[in-house]
Amino acid sequence: EAGVTQFPSHSVIEKGQTVTLRCDPISGHDNLYWYRRVMGKEIKFLLHFVKESKQDESGMPNNRFLAERTGGTYSTLKVQPAELEDSGVYFCASSQAVGDYQETQYFGPGTRLLVL
Amino acid sequence: LAKTTQPISMDSYEGQEVNITCSHNNIATNDYITWYQQFPSQGPRFIIQGYKTKVTNEVASLFIPADRKSSTLSLPRVSLSDTAVYYCLVGALGTGANNLFFGTGTRLTVIP
C-alpha cells in the first residue's frame, strides 16, 4: 500500500512569490491533515479535511494560506504571497475514519520550503 | 488542550532497554496517548497507542498508570537505527487534529 506522498520535496522561492504544495493521502482515507514546523520549532497543526470539507482550519496562520481538497482526494496548500517566516517543513497526514478514537495518522515525508 | 512534557534528549547504548516518560497532567477522559517516531528528513511515524494499563506491539510497549497523567514508552534492546525523535501526543483522535500537540519530543541517540 502506497503511503502519503508530498510534492515537491523541496521548494526555494523568493519573498512575495506563490508556492503550491501537494499532498496525496493514502487511498480511501477520508481525513487529511496539514501540519508545519517552522524555524526548528514544534510541529503545529494547520487544518483538517474530512473528504472535501474543511473540518477545522483553526491552525491556519493567516489568509495568505489557502488549502483545497477538490473531490476529496489529493489536497493542495497554497501560500500567496510567501513571507520569510513561512519557511519550514510542511507535513501532510491522513487517517481512515472519522470519529474513530483509535485512528492513526500516517504522515508524508514533508515539503521543505525556503523563502528567501 | 492537553499538553505533554518529555525529556529533551536521551542517550543509550545499543542493546539496552530505553524508557521515555511523558507527563500529561491535563489529560481528558476521551484522550488517547499516542507515540510517534521521526527520523531526519521524514514525517512522524506511528509507533504505539494506548488508553490505559499496558499496550505492547512488535516495536514497543506503552505503560500507562491508573491516573493516566503520565505514560512511558519502552523500547527493548535498541539499535543504532532507533536514533530518532520520539513524540508523545495526547488527544481524542477523530474529533479534530487540533487536539494533537506534538511538543518538543525526545531526541534519542543510540551509541554503539
Side-chain angles (χ1 to χ4, degrees):
Chain A
E1 178 183 287
V4 176
T5 58
Q6 294 186 244
F7 182 84
S9 59
H10 296 78
S11 180
V12 181
I13 61 173
E14 293 186 350
K15 175 182 174 181
Q17 289 185 322
T18 297
V19 63
T20 300
L21 313 180
R22 172 171 170 145
C23 169
D24 286 79
I26 293 173
S27 178
H29 281 193
D30 288 340
N31 292 308
L32 188 149
Y33 306 84
W34 284 97
Y35 295 83
R36 75 170 180 175
R37 177 163 56 205
V38 296
M39 298 300 289
K41 294 187 177 179
E42 298 156 5
I43 298 173
K44 291 288 182 67
F45 162 79
L46 294 178
L47 88 159
H48 169 205
F49 282 100
V50 177
K51 297 184 180 179
E52 67 276 9
S53 299
K54 292 178 184 175
Q55 177 80 4
D56 183 348
E57 52 184 330
S58 60
M60 295 288 263
N62 51 61
N63 58 11
R64 295 186 293 104
F65 289 75
L66 175 63
E68 294 180 326
R69 192 183 182 195
T70 305
T73 54
Y74 70 91
S75 174
T76 58
L77 179 64
K78 180 190 291 187
V79 185
Q80 179 182 29
E83 298 289 343
L84 299 179
E85 63 265 26
D86 300 331
S87 297
V89 183
Y90 289 76
F91 293 105
C92 174
S94 72
S95 68
Q96 192 165 19
V98 175
D100 178 357
Y101 285 117
Q102 297 196 39
E103 80 176 64
T104 297
Q105 293 188 27
Y106 297 87
F107 282 78
T111 293
R112 281 141 190 84
L113 174 65
L114 178 60
V115 182
L116 301 176
Chain B
L1 181 65
K3 293 193 175 182
T4 61
T5 303
Q6 311 174 227
I8 296 295
S9 64
M10 294 180 69
D11 294 338
S12 175
Y13 288 103
E14 272 191 295
Q16 289 188 329
E17 177 184 78
V18 171
N19 296 308
I20 306 174
T21 297
C22 176
S23 296
H24 27 80
N25 292 317
N26 297 324
I27 190 168
T29 302
N30 291 340
D31 286 344
Y32 275 75
I33 301 158
T34 310
W35 285 78
Y36 280 81
Q37 173 192 58
Q38 186 178 25
F39 298 112
S41 301
Q42 294 186 23
R45 183 175 73 102
F46 172 87
I47 301 177
I48 196 166
Q49 183 182 79
Y51 184 79
K52 61 180 179 181
T53 63
K54 176 184 175 182
V55 179
T56 298
N57 62 21
E58 65 277 7
V59 176
S61 295
L62 178 59
F63 298 92
I64 305 168
D67 65 5
R68 304 201 324 123
K69 293 183 182 300
S70 67
S71 59
T72 299
L73 174 72
S74 181
L75 305 173
R77 301 177 58 79
V78 293
S79 63
L80 296 178
S81 62
D82 292 319
T83 294
V85 178
Y86 292 82
Y87 294 97
C88 164
L89 292 87
V90 172
L93 300 180
T95 62
N98 60 332
N99 286 328
L100 298 183
F101 178 75
F102 270 87
T104 57
T106 298
R107 183 174 300 277
L108 172 66
T109 302
V110 180
I111 306 165

